[in-house]
Amino acid sequence: MNINKFRSILYFAAKILGDVNAVQKGKIGQRIVRRTAGRASAKFLQKIFRYLLR
């Protein structure tokens, strides 16, 4: 197993544990909103960089 595969597994496990923790604390809605906002901002920044680096 190479380091990238191991790293991917660790990040996946951290995401699952964060979801479980949010459910236990009753803050799953807040987590969903933040993850959605993070994805949207990443897509926006990706479009900006693609435009600038053409």
Side-chain angles (χ1 to χ4, degrees):
M1 178 183 296
N2 62 15
I3 190 75
N4 289 333
K5 181 75 171 175
F6 185 68
R7 185 171 150 250
S8 295
I9 292 169
L10 288 177
Y11 276 116
F12 179 75
K15 186 169 71 168
I16 298 298
L17 289 174
D19 290 343
V20 170
N21 191 28
V23 169
Q24 288 176 345
K25 290 184 175 186
K27 298 191 176 204
I28 191 66
Q30 185 180 25
R31 182 168 173 84
I32 291 170
V33 169
R34 286 183 177 165
R35 284 174 71 175
T36 304
R39 288 182 184 140
S41 63
K43 284 185 178 184
F44 178 71
L45 287 172
Q46 186 179 33
K47 287 181 181 180
I48 288 175
F49 283 118
R50 280 187 185 164
Y51 178 77
L52 291 175
L53 296 176
R54 272 206 255 173

